[in-house]
């Protein structure tokens, strides 16, 4: 793995929140990030995204509100207080139900941070205000076209009365030499056919990864993936339509992957072809899971 890489400034912010949101229930570390990829569609095909691969399918379907409510209701049983994130493989603002989703989450998870990553293409002042009136905590706007657009979005946020804790402007219009402004990786082997091609790892890296220790990622079909970088859905560890949050989070698939990845063993799908630097956050969760495993082995 190349140790010289661009570090997205937003990573430090997220890392601090992830650590602060570490919450134990009966010794069990809850995820600090619950992420929903709530549709199968996006309006862009960025060169550094798997969607720029001609074979990547764009599916204009959206999540069932009942599925979101099921997940939220089960998280409420644990008084969930981490990040509830709308992001994933899609553009969240294409979902006309997004405001009602946010409102419902805000009502049932009053201690959670509700965040969204958007490209801002359909964002205007009225929609921005409605997002925060519905209960959004922070909006992260990935700007893909120009510095002028970045300035425009910042002005929009300030004019709508948002403070610096409520919005993050992510500069994604930078050149290839500047890594496009993103901490880039091969998305668990799914970038080989993208416009900016990154090959699969020919040999599994022998380095740790902490994503499954602190992230619970669900797509619009209810499938829970081992990792938010698994764009190919090569490791589905459960489905929220059929199972509970608790049973999936504590299921054998998750537990085995956490143990292997903490030890630097990536010899399983999709981790065997992935080049992500997965230790940028979550070390406190790894320690908590390790302590729990030691306790269970006594």
């Amino acid at each position: 793995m190349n140790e010289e890489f661009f570090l997205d400034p937003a990573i430090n912010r997220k890392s601090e929140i992830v650590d602060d949101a570490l919450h134990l229930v009966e010794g069990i570390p809850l995820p600090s990030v619950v992420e929903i990829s709530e549709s199968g569609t996006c309006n862009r095909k960025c060169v550094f995204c798997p969607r720029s691969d001609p074979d990547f399918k764009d599916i204009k379907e959206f999540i069932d509100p009942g599925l979101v409510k099921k997940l939220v209701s089960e998280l409420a049983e644990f008084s969930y207080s981490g990040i509830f994130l709308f992001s994933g493989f899609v553009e969240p603002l294409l979902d006309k139900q997004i405001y009602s989703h946010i409102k419902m989450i805000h009502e049932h998870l009053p201690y959670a941070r509700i965040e969204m990553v958007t490209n801002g293409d359909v964002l205007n002042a009225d929609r921005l205000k409605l997002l925060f009136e519905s209960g959004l905590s922070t909006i992260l706007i990935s700007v893909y076209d120009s510095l002028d657009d970045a300035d425009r979005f910042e002005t929009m946020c300030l004019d709508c009365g948002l403070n610096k804790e409520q919005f993050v402007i992510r500069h994604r219009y930078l050149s290839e030499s500047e890594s496009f402004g993103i901490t880039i990786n091969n998305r668990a082997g799914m970038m080989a056919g993208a416009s900016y091609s990154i090959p699969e790892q020919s040999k599994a890296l022998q380095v740790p990864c902490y994503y499954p220790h602190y992230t619970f990622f669900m797509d619009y079909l209810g499938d829970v993936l081992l990792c938010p970088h698994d764009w190919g859905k090569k490791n589905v560890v459960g489905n929220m339509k059929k199972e509970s949050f608790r049973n999936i989070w504590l299921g054998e698939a998750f537990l085995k992957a956490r143990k292997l990845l903490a030890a630097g063993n990536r010899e399983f799908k999709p981790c065997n072809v992935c080049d992500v630097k997965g230790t940028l956050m979550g070390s406190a969760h790894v320690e908590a899971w390790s302590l729990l495993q030691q306790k269970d082995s006594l």
Side-chain angles (χ1 to χ4, degrees), residues 23 25 28 30 73-81 245-246:
H23 180 55
V25 175
I28 300 169
L30 293 180
S73 297
E74 294 183 17
L75 290 172
E77 296 175 7
F78 299 98
S79 299
Y80 182 70
S81 58
F245 161 77
R246 182 185 181 97

Side-chain angles (χ1 to χ4, degrees), residues 1 48-50 183-194 196-203 205 229-232 234 266 270-277:
M1 180 182 293
F48 49 81
C49 174
T183 301
I184 204 164
N185 64 77
N186 71 4
R187 299 296 190 183
M190 289 294 290
M191 286 291 292
Y196 181 75
S197 179
I198 307 175
E200 294 183 349
Q201 284 291 131
S202 58
K203 183 179 180 181
L205 296 173
H229 291 290
D230 185 12
W231 281 64
K234 299 173 184 176
R266 298 193 181 193
C271 308
N272 59 322
V273 296
C274 185
D275 68 350
V276 71
K277 190 172 182 65

Side-chain angles (χ1 to χ4, degrees), residues 205-225:
L205 296 173
Q206 299 300 309
V207 291
C209 182
Y210 300 159
Y211 275 99
H213 293 80
Y214 67 88
T215 304
F216 185 90
F217 182 100
M218 183 183 78
D219 75 1
Y220 69 105
L221 298 173
D223 286 334
V224 178
L225 307 186

Side-chain angles (χ1 to χ4, degrees), residues 31-254:
S32 281
V33 181
V34 172
E35 183 171 351
I36 287 186
S37 187
E38 35 72 72
S39 79
T41 189
C42 184
N43 61 308
R44 283 188 177 249
K45 294 182 179 181
C46 302
V47 296
F48 49 81
C49 174
R51 286 186 174 275
S52 64
D53 184 334
D55 293 331
F56 193 94
K57 294 181 179 179
D58 185 73
I59 303 173
K60 291 178 172 56
E61 296 178 4
F62 297 87
I63 198 167
D64 180 348
L67 181 56
V68 180
K69 187 172 183 179
K70 179 179 184 293
L71 174 59
V72 169
S73 297
E74 294 183 17
L75 290 172
E77 296 175 7
F78 299 98
S79 299
Y80 182 70
S81 58
I83 300 173
F84 197 106
L85 176 64
F86 287 96
S87 182
F89 314 149
V90 303
E91 169 48 50
L93 287 179
L94 297 181
D95 185 355
K96 295 179 181 179
Q97 300 293 321
I98 192 67
Y99 307 102
S100 58
H101 292 328
I102 293 172
K103 183 177 180 181
M104 185 269 294
I105 295 165
H106 181 62
E107 290 173 350
H108 287 81
L109 301 177
Y111 304 111
R113 297 180 58 94
I114 307 173
E115 302 196 353
M116 174 191 293
V117 176
T118 175
N119 58 37
D121 286 353
V122 301
L123 189 64
N124 57 33
D126 289 340
R127 289 171 179 160
L128 184 61
K129 291 176 183 177
L130 184 55
L131 286 169
F132 281 88
E133 289 170 2
S134 300
L136 192 69
S137 304
T138 301
I139 188 167
L140 295 92
I141 306 174
S142 298
V143 183
Y144 293 111
D145 294 330
S146 68
L147 176 59
D148 286 343
D149 272 348
D151 292 341
R152 177 174 61 85
F153 280 121
E154 180 165 7
T155 298
M156 181 191 299
C157 289
L158 293 173
D159 286 348
C160 287
L162 302 187
N163 61 50
K164 290 290 186 177
E165 300 299 318
Q166 292 176 299
F167 71 93
V168 176
I169 305 298
R170 308 202 301 178
H171 299 262
R172 301 297 196 234
Y173 52 83
L174 301 180
S175 66
E176 179 180 337
S177 64
E178 298 172 286
S179 192
F180 307 106
I182 187 172
T183 301
I184 204 164
N185 64 77
N186 71 4
R187 299 296 190 183
M190 289 294 290
M191 286 291 292
S195 296
Y196 181 75
S197 179
I198 307 175
E200 294 183 349
Q201 284 291 131
S202 58
K203 183 179 180 181
L205 296 173
Q206 299 300 309
V207 291
C209 182
Y210 300 159
Y211 275 99
H213 293 80
Y214 67 88
T215 304
F216 185 90
F217 182 100
M218 183 183 78
D219 75 1
Y220 69 105
L221 298 173
D223 286 334
V224 178
L225 307 186
L226 180 66
C227 171
H229 291 290
D230 185 12
W231 281 64
K233 295 183 65 170
K234 299 173 184 176
N235 197 333
V236 178
V237 297
N239 185 284
M240 276 298 300
K241 290 182 179 179
K242 305 173 183 177
E243 305 167 75
S244 70
F245 161 77
R246 182 185 181 97
N247 286 348
I248 296 173
W249 185 240
L250 296 179
E252 182 60 30
F254 251 142

